[in-house]
Amino acid sequence: MTVAKRRPATAIILTTLEGVPGKEVIEHYGLVQGSTIRAKHIGKDILAGFKNIVGGELKGYTELLQEARQESVDRMVMQARQLGANAVINVRFATSAVAPGAAELFAYGTAVKVQ
Amino acid sequence: MEFIIFIALLAIGFFAGSYAEQKHYLEIKQRERKSLHVPLMNFGAKQELPYAHEAQMFVGSVVIANDYFKTFAATLHNLVGGRVVVYESLLDRGRREAVLRMKEEAIAWGASQVVNVRFETSNIGGQETTRTPAMVEVIVYGTGIR
């Protein structure tokens, strides 16, 4: 997924580590999170039905979920920005199927200021 | 007539499915060899931060589905239990593909290694009828450093 490519110049650094390598954490702002719930697209579902006969990757769904995950990351980053953070550390993802055909994509991390 | 369609679907699933799988495995092996120089690590907690100038998160994901034949074979497996080989290869493929996507993106960025890699697998098939093939999303994420 292209988490990096759509980021603006004054980007928030995202890491899965407990800090940012080469920088020092000077302030903690606590947990930030972003989530989105997406339903399946009927056209893509029909195509996926065909694909289910031969198996393999379902590109339509991969893209759909990547988009959705990007959105949840964006929401998390927005929250971090509002707090005045310039990095989100220890980012984690979670996915859960809330209803048949709908999935929740959830991202969370700790907003910090690094120097 | 229904029986003929069923057999035809099974045959298509078996031949097209195993052909695609073999091709995918060949591709995966080739790409894995090409990206061997960047190590992946999954430690992070209670560990000193690796020395680096820059860090960035990378995510790789893939949604993968079983073919018709494998779905049918897995349904039969449900009767006797035991190891379901047909699903093992599905998840193995999916995971390796997702890892490669993350890694290739990190390599393009110039990462020297990818640390604190995490895996997540979720079933997005939805309804739990026997005929619905498994649809699994695998996501892999980690921090690339350089």
Side-chain angles (χ1 to χ4, degrees), chain A residues 14-17 21, chain B residues 52 54-58 106 109 111-115 142-146:
Chain A
L14 299 172
T15 76
T16 58
L17 298 168
Chain B
E54 269 179 273
Q56 192 175 300
M57 187 172 74
F58 293 96
W109 177 74
S112 59
Q113 54 179 315
V114 183
V115 293
T143 307
I145 55 175
R146 67 177 176 195

Side-chain angles (χ1 to χ4, degrees), chain A residues 30-90:
Chain A
L31 199 72
V32 285
Q33 49 180 293
S35 85
T36 176
I37 298 182
R38 286 290 172 104
K40 288 194 273 196
H41 187 282
I42 192 135
K44 281 177 183 160
D45 216 24
I46 292 165
L47 274 177
F50 284 123
K51 194 76 204 219
N52 277 337
I53 295 167
V54 292
E57 191 197 344
L58 306 170
K59 288 217 170 66
Y61 281 158
T62 307
E63 275 161 31
L64 187 87
L65 287 167
Q66 276 173 355
E67 249 169 56
R69 192 161 289 114
Q70 179 65 45
E71 200 178 318
S72 62
V73 169
D74 286 348
R75 284 181 182 165
M76 181 182 74
V77 164
M78 209 167 71
Q79 223 180 55
R81 263 212 190 100
Q82 280 171 355
L83 293 168
N86 64 359
V88 180
I89 59 172
N90 219 348

Side-chain angles (χ1 to χ4, degrees), chain A residues 1-5 7 13-23 40 45 48 51-59 61-63 65-66 69 73 76 90-97 99-101 103 105-106, chain B residues 9 12-13 16-17 43-46 49-57 59-69 71 93 101 105 115-116 118 120 122-127 133 135 137 139 141-143 145:
Chain A
M1 190 176 70
T2 51
V3 174
K5 279 170 197 155
R7 290 197 306 177
I13 306 164
L14 299 172
T15 76
T16 58
L17 298 168
E18 286 165 3
V20 181
K23 289 187 170 75
K40 288 194 273 196
D45 216 24
K51 194 76 204 219
N52 277 337
I53 295 167
V54 292
E57 191 197 344
L58 306 170
K59 288 217 170 66
Y61 281 158
T62 307
E63 275 161 31
L65 287 167
Q66 276 173 355
R69 192 161 289 114
V73 169
M76 181 182 74
N90 219 348
V91 176
R92 293 286 181 269
F93 289 108
T95 314
S96 46
L105 301 145
F106 181 53
Chain B
L9 282 176
I12 291 169
F43 53 66
K46 299 180 181 79
L49 287 177
Y51 178 77
H53 297 288
E54 269 179 273
Q56 192 175 300
M57 187 172 74
V59 187
S61 74
V62 63
V63 177
I64 199 157
N66 243 355
D67 60 54
Y68 200 82
F69 174 77
T71 310
R93 261 164 79 193
R101 282 185 187 175
E105 216 181 290
V115 293
N116 209 359
R118 292 283 181 272
E120 208 206 300
S122 48
N123 178 16
I124 56 158
Q127 53 274 67
M135 257 202 282
E137 195 208 17
I139 111 156
Y141 53 102
T143 307
I145 55 175

Side-chain angles (χ1 to χ4, degrees), chain B residues 11 15-17 19 21 29 49-51 82-83 85 91 94 98 107 111 115 119 126 130 135 139-140 143:
Chain B
F15 290 113
Y19 174 71
E21 185 171 287
K29 279 174 191 157
L49 287 177
Y51 178 77
R83 193 175 147 202
V85 185
L91 282 159
I107 289 169
V115 293
F119 282 89
T130 43
M135 257 202 282
I139 111 156
V140 180
T143 307

Side-chain angles (χ1 to χ4, degrees), chain B residues 18-66:
Chain B
S18 33
Y19 174 71
E21 185 171 287
Q22 272 163 23
K23 232 173 77 177
H24 192 198
Y25 263 128
L26 278 179
E27 194 201 317
I28 284 174
K29 279 174 191 157
Q30 211 175 22
R31 283 160 70 196
E32 271 176 352
R33 236 173 281 139
K34 246 189 256 169
S35 59
L36 261 181
H37 61 284
V38 174
L40 293 181
M41 281 151 212
N42 74 342
F43 53 66
K46 299 180 181 79
Q47 186 92 29
E48 251 177 65
L49 287 177
Y51 178 77
H53 297 288
E54 269 179 273
Q56 192 175 300
M57 187 172 74
F58 293 96
V59 187
S61 74
V62 63
V63 177
I64 199 157
N66 243 355

